[in-house]
Amino acid sequence: MATKIIEQRSANEQELARKIIQSEDRDVVIQTTLQTNEQVIARVTDGIYRQPASALRELISNAYDADATRVTIKTDVPRFERITIEDNGTGMSPAVLAHLLFNIGGSAKRNLEGEELGITSPTDPTRSPGGRRLIGKIGIGLFSVSQLTHSFQIITKIRGDNHRTVATVSLRQFSDSEVAPSHGEKKFESGKVVIWREKATDLQSHGTTIVLNSIRPQARDTLRSREIWGAIKQNEQTAGNEEKQSIDPPKFHVGRVDETGRLLDPIGDEFTSLPWDKSDNPSKAFERLVDAVWDQTQAGTPNPKLERVFDYYLRMVWLLGLSVPLPYVQGHLFDQPASGWAETFLLSNRPKGAAHSIRGPGSIRDAVDLEDPKESAGKFEVFVDDLKLSRPVKFRDLPVPSTHSLKQPLVFVGKCDETFPKLPPELSGGRLQFEAYLFWYPKISPTEHQGSLIRIHGASGTLFDPTFMRYQISEQTRTRQITCEIFVSEGLDSALNIDRESFNNAHPHAVYITRWLHEALRQLATVQKKAASQVRSHEREGKKDAHLVAIQNVASKVWTEQSDDPASAPPSVELVEGDIPKRTNPDTYVYQRSTVAARERPKTAKERARATIIDEKLKAITQVLASFGFIDQLTKKKQEALLRAIHRILEEREG
């Protein structure tokens, strides 16, 4: 059979070549269809996704498209030898499973074949049978597991079937060398599948379970945060203080294993460090995970980064909550009151337009007639071990900044429905419809949430883009104070790259949204500057000592130049005696004086006055470094080492 297919393909190629040769002028035109080389499809199973989190995200999306209301992911954390993903979706009939296994990259979603197989709505091929807008589209989501393992099992059942179907899949790992069978023709196989059916007594049950065994060493090491733990372990075993490096473990982690992968290694006196208690229910535990990041802003870390607060596993949980269609941990921004807690504005879609204030007793959603989330096809819950995921984005009850004159958030919302009437669909990409918000606050935490994030039908494979889609205007400080989400309900789908983690920036829809976002940022900056100027009616109280005032003025001037924000002041810097307080202002850098001062405080009045000047200079230098974003790039220990070196230089006397 294979030989006949190869012979047929060869004959087709020869016939096309003959026709091309015979077409000697432009009056003879040859038409044919493009063919995909089997090697391209084979390469898909090698893994096109970047992280283990990406693979789990795709499996959750598949469950969502199957109308699941609950997805449960279980791991043997922190060993990560085995992962199971179970959902209560419609499950797969033998026909659907067969199509999946033999049509990688040929999804039945969004076409008539999906209706015949029962995996899409009979009235709309872009929706699930239950009415959800489909996330998947090209049929490779399941094979994202190649990022985690090359051997997995599928256990699936549909309602009313008295059997469940079991398939064991072994994906093939490809190298650059080609496999050439004896007949000389290239043949590529994505892997092997063994399938059987088992009797099921639970006739009405339905859903799919995917069991990942033999997790790949690279994926297992990533899940175990081996890179950071390995460096810390090596540092612990290094003899001599001079040779040891300044390496801080993650603030929160699920533990580390020894070289065998079986035994747990303690970190200090504890095996784990979790922001929740064992008695917390899964929802509360996730809330405390989110609160833990914001709490860092009040514990001497004004701009916390996830990579420093969490190990990889906890960061993965955070990113999963961010990427799939789930409710927000505190509720959707659109459902917050239109006034009272924040100043709300409606963005204009006109070029050079201006944002207008929104006030009223109702919600932002009601005031502007916003619809996101559009889905009303039932709840969707995702559990990962002890956590019930939500979108980890907070808008209310945030730490109040002390150095910025604007104490309330500024909320900018907008919506757009563009049909591109002057362009044909093949040039415009068709209709584009979206809603969006830009949330401004003096402090955005974690720093990874500073930027813009695009959701298509409620899901996102991308993270927050700190460049705001390549915004060229110098707004270094202001863009670090903005979280933006764009909810696309129609269009842009075709601009997604195959891994769903980036966009084709040349696509007409991507170009349009980029231009819209940059115009929205201009409107935000105009409102924020005006509001800041009105609120800041007088200068901050200066210090009595003219020398100290002059020092602070230098730091304030640099901050204003870099931030382009007349209302903001540089973050406070405090040098405390003894232990650092557990709660500090969210925009304050706090250091123990003994860790950054080269000498003890002097006893004479003259020397104490000089020491005060040196301390103020050190604080001002720290503020200048923060103006350029340099301080936040360093760990706390690195910050202390840098300031200690600067303090030592400042203390050196002339002559």
Side-chain angles (χ1 to χ4, degrees):
M1 182 64 180
T3 303
K4 290 183 179 180
I5 294 174
I6 294 170
E7 290 176 350
Q8 180 63 47
R9 185 172 66 229
S10 177
N12 292 341
E13 292 171 2
Q14 292 174 7
E15 177 64 15
L16 177 60
R18 184 186 64 79
K19 290 181 179 180
I20 294 172
I21 294 172
Q22 291 179 349
S23 62
E24 297 179 351
D25 57 62
R26 298 182 63 180
D27 293 334
V28 180
V29 178
I30 308 300
Q31 290 188 349
T32 187
T33 57
L34 293 175
Q35 302 293 318
T36 302
N37 191 298
E38 289 176 323
Q39 186 177 14
V40 175
I41 300 301
R43 288 292 182 181
V44 168
T45 62
D46 274 353
I48 62 172
Y49 299 96
R50 303 171 188 175
Q51 294 288 340
S54 303
L56 295 179
R57 180 198 71 216
E58 293 303 305
L59 296 179
I60 295 172
S61 297
N62 282 352
Y64 180 84
D65 284 351
D67 287 327
T69 60
R70 182 185 178 101
V71 180
T72 303
I73 299 175
K74 289 291 185 181
T75 75
D76 57 339
V77 57
R79 296 177 176 83
F80 300 108
E81 300 283 355
R82 173 187 172 95
I83 301 174
T84 63
I85 304 93
E86 181 179 1
D87 70 65
N88 65 346
T90 55
M92 291 182 282
S93 66
V96 172
L97 181 62
H99 186 277
L100 171 71
L101 297 174
F102 289 101
N103 289 275
I104 302 174
S107 175
K109 297 176 182 178
R110 310 193 189 207
N111 56 49
L112 294 177
E113 194 172 15
E115 179 185 345
E116 295 175 359
L117 292 171
I119 62 175
T120 61
S121 167
T123 58
D124 186 350
T126 66
R127 292 184 176 271
S128 71
R132 289 175 176 169
R133 290 297 297 266
L134 296 174
I135 298 174
K137 62 177 182 177
I138 57 176
I140 61 173
L142 176 62
F143 293 90
S144 64
V145 299
S146 61
Q147 179 70 39
L148 296 169
T149 180
H150 284 292
S151 176
F152 63 97
Q153 190 173 67
I154 304 170
I155 306 168
T156 187
K157 180 184 177 299
I158 62 174
R159 186 190 300 273
D161 193 348
N162 60 4
H163 284 76
R164 60 176 52 87
T165 306
V166 182
T168 299
V169 182
S170 297
L171 297 174
R172 185 183 157 205
Q173 179 73 52
F174 286 86
S175 65
D176 289 333
S177 60
E178 298 174 341
V179 179
S182 57
H183 48 65
E185 294 290 341
K186 298 173 185 177
K187 182 180 179 182
F188 297 92
E189 294 179 354
S190 298
K192 301 290 186 182
V193 186
V194 178
I195 307 172
W196 67 93
R197 298 262 284 165
E198 295 179 350
K199 191 73 174 178
T201 57
D202 46 347
L203 195 63
Q204 296 305 309
S205 67
H206 52 89
T208 299
T209 300
I210 299 175
V211 182
L212 309 180
N213 293 310
S214 303
I215 303 298
R216 293 173 62 179
Q218 302 95 316
R220 191 170 60 241
D221 289 346
T222 300
L223 290 165
R224 291 177 177 177
S225 303
R226 182 171 180 177
E227 184 175 354
I228 181 65
W229 289 128
I232 291 174
K233 188 74 171 180
Q234 183 177 0
N235 201 48
E236 292 172 343
Q237 296 173 347
T238 300
N241 292 331
E242 294 299 323
E243 298 179 9
K244 289 190 175 183
Q245 302 178 29
S246 177
I247 305 175
D248 294 325
K251 177 72 175 178
F252 299 105
H253 57 82
V254 294
R256 65 177 179 181
V257 293
D258 64 3
E259 291 80 2
T260 68
R262 296 184 178 88
L263 301 178
L264 296 181
D265 266 351
I267 300 92
D269 297 329
E270 303 290 338
F271 287 97
T272 62
S273 176
L274 300 174
W276 67 85
D277 296 328
K278 291 183 178 179
S279 59
D280 291 332
N281 63 49
S283 294
K284 182 63 176 179
F286 191 82
E287 289 179 20
R288 296 188 64 176
L289 179 79
V290 177
D291 289 340
V293 175
W294 277 98
D295 287 346
Q296 296 305 299
T297 66
Q298 298 176 285
T301 308
N303 297 293
K305 294 185 176 182
L306 291 179
E307 63 181 13
R308 294 179 185 170
V309 179
F310 296 145
D311 62 3
Y312 179 83
Y313 172 81
L314 294 178
R315 292 202 310 274
M316 179 186 75
V317 168
W318 185 287
L319 297 179
L320 289 177
L322 197 62
S323 63
V324 296
L326 293 171
Y328 288 83
V329 67
Q330 285 185 325
H332 202 300
L333 178 63
F334 292 171
D335 293 318
Q336 305 302 322
S339 58
W341 68 284
E343 292 292 327
T344 308
F345 300 84
L346 176 62
L347 293 163
S348 172
N349 291 334
R350 301 192 313 271
K352 307 295 184 181
H356 298 285
S357 178
I358 301 172
R359 297 182 183 276
S363 68
I364 296 173
R365 183 187 303 279
D366 294 337
V368 188
D369 191 24
L370 300 171
E371 298 184 25
D372 184 83
K374 291 178 177 296
E375 299 299 339
S376 58
K379 66 176 183 178
F380 185 63
E381 299 176 325
V382 179
F383 294 81
V384 179
D385 293 324
D386 297 328
L387 299 167
K388 180 183 178 182
L389 306 192
S390 299
R391 288 181 181 169
V393 184
K394 291 181 62 174
F395 308 108
R396 304 287 299 270
D397 305 322
L398 306 181
V400 178
S402 61
T403 60
H404 204 284
S405 59
L406 295 179
K407 307 299 183 183
Q408 287 187 323
L410 300 179
V411 177
F412 297 79
V413 296
K415 58 181 181 178
C416 185
D417 187 355
E418 179 58 49
T419 58
F420 304 96
K422 297 182 180 180
L423 293 174
E426 59 269 20
L427 294 181
S428 68
R431 185 181 185 183
L432 175 63
Q433 192 174 26
F434 62 88
E435 298 173 347
Y437 75 79
L438 285 79
F439 178 84
W440 178 92
Y441 196 63
K443 186 69 60 180
I444 298 296
S445 182
T447 58
E448 288 87 348
H449 285 198
Q450 299 167 3
S452 57
L453 183 145
I454 297 178
R455 300 186 183 278
I456 300 177
H457 308 322
S460 175
T462 64
L463 301 179
F464 283 94
D465 171 17
T467 73
F468 289 90
M469 303 184 80
R470 306 170 308 284
Y471 189 51
Q472 298 299 315
I473 306 301
S474 179
E475 294 273 10
Q476 295 183 10
T477 299
R478 190 170 289 106
T479 53
R480 291 198 296 265
Q481 299 170 333
I482 301 171
T483 286
C484 167
E485 290 189 77
I486 300 174
F487 309 98
V488 180
S489 56
E490 186 165 347
L492 195 66
D493 214 347
S494 56
L496 272 175
N497 290 326
I498 191 171
D499 61 359
R500 298 205 303 118
E501 298 180 1
S502 57
F503 290 96
N504 171 11
N505 294 322
H507 190 280
H509 287 183
V511 172
Y512 186 94
I513 285 184
T514 298
R515 187 167 61 247
W516 185 93
L517 176 59
H518 293 177
E519 178 63 21
L521 288 169
R522 181 194 63 78
Q523 295 179 46
L524 182 153
T526 299
V527 171
Q528 194 264 342
K529 288 179 181 180
K530 182 178 180 180
S533 298
Q534 293 174 345
V535 173
R536 194 179 178 98
S537 59
H538 57 82
E539 295 293 331
R540 190 180 66 174
E541 291 187 7
K543 297 179 181 178
K544 293 181 180 180
D545 191 307
H547 196 172
L548 299 182
V549 171
I551 293 172
Q552 185 57 53
N553 283 344
V554 172
S556 297
K557 182 179 179 181
V558 173
W559 179 268
T560 300
E561 291 173 348
Q562 295 303 314
S563 66
D564 189 27
D565 185 354
S568 68
S572 297
V573 180
E574 294 182 7
L575 306 181
V576 299
E577 304 289 349
D579 295 334
I580 295 177
K582 292 184 178 180
R583 293 286 177 177
T584 60
N585 290 327
D587 46 5
T588 300
Y589 294 92
V590 184
Y591 305 95
Q592 287 181 302
R593 192 178 187 283
S594 60
T595 63
V596 299
R599 300 177 184 174
E600 296 294 328
R601 293 188 66 86
K603 297 181 180 180
T604 67
K606 183 177 180 180
E607 288 297 320
R608 284 199 299 271
R610 181 175 181 271
T612 298
I613 296 295
I614 291 174
D615 285 356
E616 292 304 314
K617 287 183 176 180
L618 181 67
K619 294 177 183 179
I621 291 172
T622 304
Q623 291 171 326
V624 170
L625 294 173
S627 299
F628 291 91
F630 182 70
I631 284 290
D632 293 329
Q633 302 302 316
L634 305 176
T635 64
K636 192 63 174 289
K637 288 186 177 180
K638 289 286 188 181
Q639 293 176 26
E640 293 169 347
L642 173 64
L643 298 185
R644 187 175 181 85
I646 294 173
H647 194 277
R648 188 178 293 115
I649 293 173
L650 295 175
E651 279 207 326
E652 287 298 319
R653 297 175 181 270
E654 296 182 2

